[in-house]
Amino acid sequence: MAGAIAIKGRTLVEKIAAKASGRADARAGDLVTADVDLCFAHDSSGPRRWAPMLADLGRGLWDPSKIVITSDHYVPAVDAESAAILSLTRQFAADHKIGHFYDMEGIGHMLLAERGLIRPGMLVAGGDSHTPMAGAFGAYAAGYGATDMAAIAATGRTWLQVPATIRIEWRSNLGHGVTAKDMMLFLCRELGMDNAFRAVEFAGPTVEAMSMPERLVLTNMAAELGAETGVIAPDGVTFSWLRNAGAAVADEAEARAWASDPDATYEAIHRFDAGALEPMIALPHSPANSVPVGEAQGRAINQAYIGACVGAKLEDLHMAARVLADQRIASGVRLLVAPASSRVTQAAAEDGTLATLMAAGATLMPSGCGACAGMGAGLLADGEVCISTTNRNFKGRMGHAGAEVYLGSPYSVAAAAVAGRIVDPRGYLGQRRAAA
């Protein structure tokens, strides 16, 4: 009797593509039609784009329980147009009985993570380029344009070309004051931002030792590498986070199978030493313009911004507070803090983090995409200089095209706010490292 045909080792994204398409196997380069497990959009990319297309098609939503909509770009409304977009979003969610509608509760990518909506092995389609953030849970999460998203919302299906995977292995412990954000700015410089139609898999002892909030930074900024998605194999850290979010995985042993096989084929494998990494700063006007902090040191700033899905999680606020404890921001500098969600704001208030930030002179902003997306409060004037925890610093991204935006970790942004210029944040951490 002939035995079963062995399937050669596969990457994580190849496994998910096979499951989603109902095929025994799927390989990089294959074109497949796939079932979507979760569909996500926000007030800018969702209902206002979908509604007219769905009306033209005479279609409703395929499964409202599997659709997540958040209001995070236009909140709070700053003008009549923003208010109208939010009103449309709220009415659409009510009319279509959306299973997960979060109104002014935080940035959608953060909400997907903190509400336990992502599981290993899922195929997630999102109407935002930073949808890959969900890949930190061992999911295949990719961003789509408005037309594709309307079709997905109506049918629950999409097509995709299975991407080849680039594996990035990190070894050694991160140094004092060095974070996942520094790792990604380094990778933007080393690998460039033109890795289109590829998946990036983050692995190695350094990644395995990371908290989930720091892992989210890696997969979020796979978008800055130009990748289709970013993934991290699920492990004990993943399952602990999901349990704490009230979304325990029924069979954790089975869920661990959502990982690349040891003999999987990669387009490339890159290995880096995390212990050799310094705090990194992205110079204007691209994340790829990243340099060690010493090469950017001394640049005077007008504004420091701690915000965005990638840079205002509770752990990020803790980093900033370590620098700002018993300090005061420099005269003439604005330090704006926009927590990634209302739950982050509440937790930071309860543990004293907000008090530390406010005592240093920070201004607390509403949770939402805000200045990161060039909307709402915190925009820059012509000639102003800002250092930010956000993921992008393209010309005009945070206001006037004549402004300059530098990117750094929460440590680097907080340190610059105190000094009034870009500095090495490690000089402000001192002995607080042991107490953190």
Side-chain angles (χ1 to χ4, degrees), residues 12 28 67 112 134 139 148 160 163 168 220 232 240 262 278 341 372 435:
L12 172 54
I67 292 177
L112 292 179
D148 283 328
L160 60 91
I168 300 176
N220 177 293
I232 297 173
S240 176
E278 298 181 67
S341 74
C372 173

Side-chain angles (χ1 to χ4, degrees), residues 356-373:
T356 298
L357 301 180
M358 298 301 103
T363 298
L364 183 63
M365 310 285 283
S367 292
C369 296
C372 173

Side-chain angles (χ1 to χ4, degrees), residues 227-392:
E228 180 78 5
T229 190
V231 294
I232 297 173
D235 60 10
V237 174
T238 316
F239 304 131
S240 176
W241 176 281
L242 289 172
R243 285 194 297 271
N244 290 337
V249 175
D251 189 336
E252 292 184 8
E254 181 178 317
R256 287 177 186 269
W258 294 110
S260 295
D261 295 324
D263 58 342
T265 299
Y266 297 98
E267 180 175 282
I269 299 176
H270 301 282
R271 297 182 174 92
F272 299 104
D273 178 6
L277 194 63
E278 298 181 67
M280 300 291 292
I281 301 293
L283 310 179
H285 296 282
S286 169
N289 292 339
S290 294
V291 298
V293 65
E295 296 182 30
Q297 197 157 268
R299 183 65 168 114
I301 65 165
N302 305 105
Q303 178 169 298
Y305 184 78
I306 297 174
C309 50
V310 74
K313 307 176 297 302
L314 183 60
E315 193 165 321
D316 300 320
L317 302 191
H318 288 166
M319 292 180 196
R322 286 179 61 194
V323 172
L324 293 168
D326 303 320
Q327 299 281 356
R328 184 74 186 176
I329 63 174
S331 175
V333 170
R334 309 181 297 271
L335 172 59
L336 308 182
V337 178
S341 74
S342 57
R343 287 188 179 179
V344 169
T345 303
Q346 180 178 351
E350 291 173 350
D351 70 12
T353 298
L354 284 189
T356 298
L357 301 180
M358 298 301 103
T363 298
L364 183 63
M365 310 285 283
S367 292
C369 296
C372 173
M375 299 175 176
L379 300 186
L380 301 169
D382 187 12
E384 288 194 312
V385 177
C386 175
I387 183 168
S388 174
T389 63
T390 55
N391 34 37
R392 290 179 180 164

Side-chain angles (χ1 to χ4, degrees), residues 31-364:
L31 286 170
V32 301
T33 301
D35 293 325
V36 172
D37 295 300
L38 195 71
C39 173
F40 157 73
H42 46 64
D43 47 341
S44 182
S45 67
R48 73 186 184 118
R49 310 288 187 189
W50 298 355
M53 288 186 271
L54 292 174
D56 287 344
L57 293 170
R59 296 288 297 262
L61 300 177
W62 119 86
D63 186 344
S65 71
K66 295 182 179 179
I67 292 177
V68 181
I69 294 177
T70 63
S71 64
D72 58 15
H73 274 58
Y74 290 95
V75 297
V78 296
D79 53 33
E81 182 180 1
S82 299
I85 291 170
L86 290 170
S87 177
L88 184 155
T89 302
R90 292 163 183 146
Q91 191 61 53
F92 183 96
D95 291 346
H96 292 271
K97 298 179 171 58
I98 298 299
H100 300 281
F101 174 51
Y102 301 103
D103 188 11
M104 297 181 64
E105 295 185 53
I107 302 171
H109 307 297
M110 189 65 222
L111 295 176
L112 292 179
E114 72 178 21
R115 305 304 167 96
L117 297 177
I118 311 299
R119 305 287 198 287
M122 272 188 167
L123 177 61
V124 181
D128 188 274
S129 60
H130 287 105
T131 300
M133 182 164 164
F137 291 91
Y140 181 163
Y144 291 81
T147 302
D148 283 328
M149 283 302 299
I152 292 168
T155 67
R157 310 197 79 201
T158 189
W159 69 271
L160 60 91
Q161 184 172 34
V162 183
T165 297
I166 298 171
R167 182 176 171 93
I168 300 176
E169 297 180 357
W170 285 92
R171 300 188 179 278
S172 303
N173 295 326
L174 287 168
H176 182 36
V178 182
T179 71
K181 181 63 171 290
D182 300 303
M183 294 166 67
M184 289 310 300
L185 293 179
F186 171 84
L187 290 177
C188 286
R189 183 188 74 181
E190 293 299 304
L191 303 183
M193 300 176 65
D194 189 18
N195 297 284
F197 309 113
R198 294 167 178 84
V200 177
E201 179 177 334
F202 300 95
T206 311
V207 176
E208 292 166 6
M210 282 182 163
S211 67
M212 184 56 69
E214 283 286 84
R215 293 181 184 191
L216 291 169
V217 175
L218 303 182
T219 52
N220 177 293
M221 290 191 67
E224 274 57 62
L225 296 175
E228 180 78 5
T229 190
V231 294
I232 297 173
D235 60 10
V237 174
T238 316
F239 304 131
S240 176
W241 176 281
L242 289 172
R243 285 194 297 271
N244 290 337
V249 175
D251 189 336
E252 292 184 8
E254 181 178 317
R256 287 177 186 269
W258 294 110
S260 295
D261 295 324
D263 58 342
T265 299
Y266 297 98
E267 180 175 282
I269 299 176
H270 301 282
R271 297 182 174 92
F272 299 104
D273 178 6
L277 194 63
E278 298 181 67
M280 300 291 292
I281 301 293
L283 310 179
H285 296 282
S286 169
N289 292 339
S290 294
V291 298
V293 65
E295 296 182 30
Q297 197 157 268
R299 183 65 168 114
I301 65 165
N302 305 105
Q303 178 169 298
Y305 184 78
I306 297 174
C309 50
V310 74
K313 307 176 297 302
L314 183 60
E315 193 165 321
D316 300 320
L317 302 191
H318 288 166
M319 292 180 196
R322 286 179 61 194
V323 172
L324 293 168
D326 303 320
Q327 299 281 356
R328 184 74 186 176
I329 63 174
S331 175
V333 170
R334 309 181 297 271
L335 172 59
L336 308 182
V337 178
S341 74
S342 57
R343 287 188 179 179
V344 169
T345 303
Q346 180 178 351
E350 291 173 350
D351 70 12
T353 298
L354 284 189
T356 298
L357 301 180
M358 298 301 103
T363 298
L364 183 63

Side-chain angles (χ1 to χ4, degrees), residues 176 322 429-436:
H176 182 36
R322 286 179 61 194
L429 293 173
Q431 298 305 310
R432 296 194 195 103
R433 181 188 185 192

